[in-house]
């Protein structure tokens, strides 16, 4: 109790005593048109044929009553309609009862309204709203709190603010007090969706009056609602007197403020230039035990920015950094954006550059770059679509001979990468290196990938060289990005030059498949001499060719009809696999097939039979039909008698092949 008294006394220091609120009207001029449009056409409107009968029946309808049997029938129909989800029939039965001033029993009344609220369409939401209003005015005891909560929840979901406020006003008018905790937050939500908290503020004021005057503790708004009311006074109405009324009410109700409460007030006081009140507010925060002033400082800056007090913004930023010992992440993204817009709108780019320089002096050297003030400001420029302004701020910092931290560079690099301005990004990386700063592997990877995507290969090579010079250990990701990109763009000559440049770097694991990729690309492009040159370079550097290496070369030679070159490859492989020592070569079906097809096409039947013999030795299945076709296409007119006169060995090889392939028949 003593703590509560101390709290109330402290909280009243900064405010005047609680005023008497103006009477709470059941509706306002701004609410009526909106509510009217929501309810039109009237859900109680009679059908055309009923309207024509109305004049003659009006007297009778006023005095008409239902018999007990009729009441029972209508209630039974209503209940069955709800069970079968026949909404229109249920509504018809409910209207028939209420027109005669009769209500269904309490469970049935609440079931109908809950059902209508749950359907999430405007027509039935109107029906639920009108029903609740009608029941509150005629017999509120029939209505349960849960039903009202369900209806308000549906209104919140449908973003219909006017009827939600009309319902609350009707409840107050008829002294039907639903605990604030059941509906308060929903009313705040629907107010925010409508774009204004002013309507909620009026409800808040009346609810506080009821809680105090009627001594109904369950009608007391909670802290979130109090903060919403403060937000309205400080940020929308920008009214010091209204804000102080809310603060006084919180004190009377015993609602303890939090950092957000002080934040809203600090925004308002800085906006209005009330420096003494700001000092009092800060002292009060200390008395309440709030040591984290992040919200306080962010709000102060927001108020100063809006009022155009740029010098006060700079002072507050530097002071907050100083109090945080340069370690805390103090400013929000929203605050950074506000600062950027405030300075640029006032033509104070030089001052903003100076502020970043001074902020860097206060920040700890151990602070991560993406938590620096400079990073936040430059990122805000980027997010606001002002990438060129960001670079201008960087240029201005350099012009002032100020130290430029990595946090200033990185957001610009990211923006250039995203926009594929890779040449500018590469130049900026060179500037970073010259200033003694170093990027991490992740940044290089991102920039190299952007360069390759943009087919700016020169920038990618430059960045990779810089990456190597910076002694970054993890080069694998960027290396693979470059090699893959060059292969996809069919630039084997650049792949060969790049590989030759990095092959001796121990941080890069160059393997046979890297050389294979280049050889394959050259062969595919018909550049066989370049492929051979790469092959020789590969073997010179002691990288063992494998089956994929030879497959690429064979396919390239076959396409160019250079069958003698295939024969030379076979002689080389034959030496390697003699004695069962394959040295990394997987002499499988694919390689056998490629050699046989090429050698048959070239007419080297002695070599063909050597391949056949090796395949039989290794039990590799061979489909002879393919080679029959190749023989018939290329050597159909070849006669054994002609070969007998030229070379007995060739003749024997031809006969052996034809016997093997089944061509003698």
């Amino acid at each position: 109790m003593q703590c509560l008294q101390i709290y109330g006394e402290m909280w009243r220091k900064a405010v005047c005593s609680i005023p008497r609120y103006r009477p709470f009207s059941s509706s306002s001029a701004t609410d009526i048109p909106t509510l009217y449009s929501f309810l039109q056409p009237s859900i109680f409107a009679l059908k055309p044929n009923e309207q024509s009968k109305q004049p003659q029946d009006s007297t009778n309808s006023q005095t008409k009553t239902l018999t007990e049997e009729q009441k029972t029938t209508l209630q039974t129909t209503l209940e069955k309609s709800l069970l079968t989800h026949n909404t229109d029939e249920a509504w018809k039965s409910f209207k028939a009862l209420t027109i005669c001033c009769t209500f269904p029993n309490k469970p049935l009344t609440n079931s109908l309204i809950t059902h209508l609220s749950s359907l999430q369409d405007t027509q039935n939401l109107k029906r639920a709203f009108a029903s609740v209003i009608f029941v509150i005015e005629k017999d509120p005891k029939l209505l349960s709190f849960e039903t009202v909560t369900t209806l308000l929840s549906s209104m919140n979901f449908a973003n219909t603010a006017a009827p939600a406020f009309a319902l609350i006003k009707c409840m107050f008018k008829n002294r039907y007090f639903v605990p604030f905790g059941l509906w308060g937050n929903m009313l705040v939500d629907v107010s925010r969706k409508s774009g204004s908290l002013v309507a909620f503020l009026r409800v808040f004021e009346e609810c506080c009056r009821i809680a105090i005057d009627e001594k109904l503790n369950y009608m007391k708004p909670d802290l979130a609602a109090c903060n919403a009311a403060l937000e309205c006074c400080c940020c929308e109405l920008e009214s010091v007197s209204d804000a102080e009324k809310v603060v006084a009410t919180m004190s009377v109700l015993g609602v303890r403020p939090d950092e957000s409460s002080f934040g809203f007030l600090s925004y308002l006081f800085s906006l209005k230039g009330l420096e003494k009140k700001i000092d009092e507010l800060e002292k009060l925060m200390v008395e309440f035990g709030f040591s984290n002033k992040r919200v306080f400082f962010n709000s102060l800056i927001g108020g100063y920015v809006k009022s155009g007090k740029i010098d006060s913004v700079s002072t507050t930023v530097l002071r907050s950094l100083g109090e945080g010992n340069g370690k805390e992440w103090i400013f929000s993204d929203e605050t950074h954006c506000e600062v950027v817009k405030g300075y640029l709108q006032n033509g104070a780019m030089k001052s903003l550059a100076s502020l970043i320089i001074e902020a860097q002096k206060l920040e700890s050297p151990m602070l991560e770059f993406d938590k620096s003030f400079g990073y936040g400001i430059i990122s805000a420029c980027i997010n606001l679509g002002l990438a060129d302004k960001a670079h201008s701020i960087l240029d201005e910092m350099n012009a002032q001979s100020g130290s430029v931290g990595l946090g200033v560079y990185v957001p610009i690099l990211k923006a250039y990468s995203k926009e594929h301005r890779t040449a500018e990004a590469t130049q900026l990386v060179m500037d970073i290196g010259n200033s003694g700063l170093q990027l991490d592997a992740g940044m290089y990877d991102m920039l190299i990938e952007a360069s390759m995507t943009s087919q700016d290969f020169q920038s990618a090579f430059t960045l990779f060289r810089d990456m190597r010079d910076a002694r970054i250990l993890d080069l694998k990701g960027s290396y693979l990005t470059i090699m893959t990109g060059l292969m996809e763009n069919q630039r084997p000559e650049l792949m060969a030059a790049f590989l030759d440049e990095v092959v001796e770097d121990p941080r890069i694991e160059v393997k046979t498949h890297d050389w294979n990729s280049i050889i394959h690309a050259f062969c595919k492009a018909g550049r066989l001499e370049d492929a051979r040159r790469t092959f020789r370079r590969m073997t010179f550097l002691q990288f063992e060719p494998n089956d994929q290496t030879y497959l690429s070369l064979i396919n390239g030679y076959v396409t160019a009809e250079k069958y003698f070159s295939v024969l030379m490859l076979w002689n080389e492989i034959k030496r390697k696999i003699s004695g069962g020592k394959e040295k990394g070569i997987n002499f499988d079906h694919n390689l056998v097939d490629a050699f046989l097809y090429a050698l048959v096409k070239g007419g080297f039947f002695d070599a063909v039979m050597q391949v056949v013999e090796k395949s039989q030795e290794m039990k590799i299945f061979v489909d002879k039909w393919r080679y029959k076709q190749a023989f018939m296409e290329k050597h159909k007119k070849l006669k054994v008698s002609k070969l007998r006169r030229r070379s007995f060995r060739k003749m024997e090889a031809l006969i052996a092949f034809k016997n093997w392939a089944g061509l003698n028949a």
Side-chain angles (χ1 to χ4, degrees), residues 29 85 89 177 180 187 205 212 230 236 364 402 406 424 428 433 453 484 506 512 523 547 554 566-567 612 616 618:
H85 300 286
E89 186 63 33
F177 299 136
F180 183 86
L187 209 63
E205 292 171 346
I212 295 169
L230 263 182
E236 287 189 42
S364 168
L406 203 56
E424 293 169 88
L428 199 57
T453 302
T484 304
T512 296
C523 290
D547 49 308
I554 292 168
V566 178
L567 178 62
V612 169
Q616 290 173 342
M618 299 181 70

Side-chain angles (χ1 to χ4, degrees), residues 262-263 266 278 281-282 285 293-300:
F262 286 101
S266 65
I278 293 172
L281 198 65
E282 194 168 3
M285 283 187 70
K293 296 183 180 179
R294 177 179 177 179
V295 175
F296 176 77
F297 281 127
N298 277 279
S299 301
L300 269 184

Side-chain angles (χ1 to χ4, degrees), residues 391 394 409-433 439 443-444 446-448 450-451 456 459-460 462-463 466:
H391 206 138
L394 171 61
Y409 286 109
V410 169
I412 301 175
L413 285 175
K414 288 182 177 179
Y416 284 170
S417 175
K418 188 175 180 180
E419 296 169 6
H420 297 289
R421 297 165 63 176
T422 51
E424 293 169 88
T426 302
Q427 182 55 54
L428 199 57
V429 170
M430 299 301 104
D431 295 341
I432 292 171
L439 297 171
M443 281 299 302
Y444 278 108
M446 178 192 71
L447 294 169
I448 288 172
S451 299
D456 182 4
S459 290
T462 301
L463 289 166
D466 193 72

Side-chain angles (χ1 to χ4, degrees), residues 323-470:
E323 289 191 12
N325 296 319
K327 295 179 181 179
E328 285 189 47
W329 175 235
I330 295 175
F331 306 112
S332 65
D333 293 341
E334 183 182 357
T335 298
H336 286 124
C337 288
E338 287 175 350
V339 170
V340 168
K341 288 188 282 189
Y343 273 82
L344 295 184
Q345 286 170 1
N346 284 275
M349 184 183 293
K350 290 184 178 180
S351 298
L352 183 55
S354 299
L355 177 58
I356 297 173
I357 292 171
E358 293 303 314
Q360 287 178 162
K361 295 176 182 177
L362 295 171
E363 290 170 338
S364 168
M366 304 303 293
L367 184 69
E368 295 177 24
F369 71 82
D370 59 348
K371 292 184 178 179
S372 66
F373 179 71
Y375 180 89
I377 292 298
I378 300 300
S379 294
C381 290
I382 305 301
N383 294 334
L384 292 169
L386 304 172
D388 290 333
K389 292 289 185 184
H391 206 138
S392 297
I393 293 171
L394 171 61
D395 291 340
E396 182 59 38
M397 291 177 70
N398 286 321
Q400 294 181 23
S401 301
S403 172
V404 180
L406 203 56
V408 175
Y409 286 109
V410 169
I412 301 175
L413 285 175
K414 288 182 177 179
Y416 284 170
S417 175
K418 188 175 180 180
E419 296 169 6
H420 297 289
R421 297 165 63 176
T422 51
E424 293 169 88
T426 302
Q427 182 55 54
L428 199 57
V429 170
M430 299 301 104
D431 295 341
I432 292 171
N434 292 335
S435 66
L437 299 172
Q438 182 176 313
L439 297 171
D440 60 17
M443 281 299 302
Y444 278 108
D445 290 345
M446 178 192 71
L447 294 169
I448 288 172
E449 185 172 357
S451 299
M452 295 305 297
T453 302
S454 304
Q455 298 185 13
D456 182 4
F457 306 133
Q458 191 56 51
S459 290
F461 293 150
T462 301
L463 289 166
F464 194 79
R465 289 189 197 102
D466 193 72
M467 194 177 184
R468 292 174 64 199
D469 293 342

Side-chain angles (χ1 to χ4, degrees), residues 499 509-519 538 542-549 584:
L499 192 61
E509 295 181 14
V510 177
K511 296 183 179 179
T512 296
H513 66 78
D514 297 305
W515 295 99
N516 286 348
S517 298
I518 301 171
I519 291 170
M538 171 187 181
Q542 297 182 343
F543 287 90
E544 283 292 335
N546 58 21
D547 49 308
Q548 290 299 320
T549 316

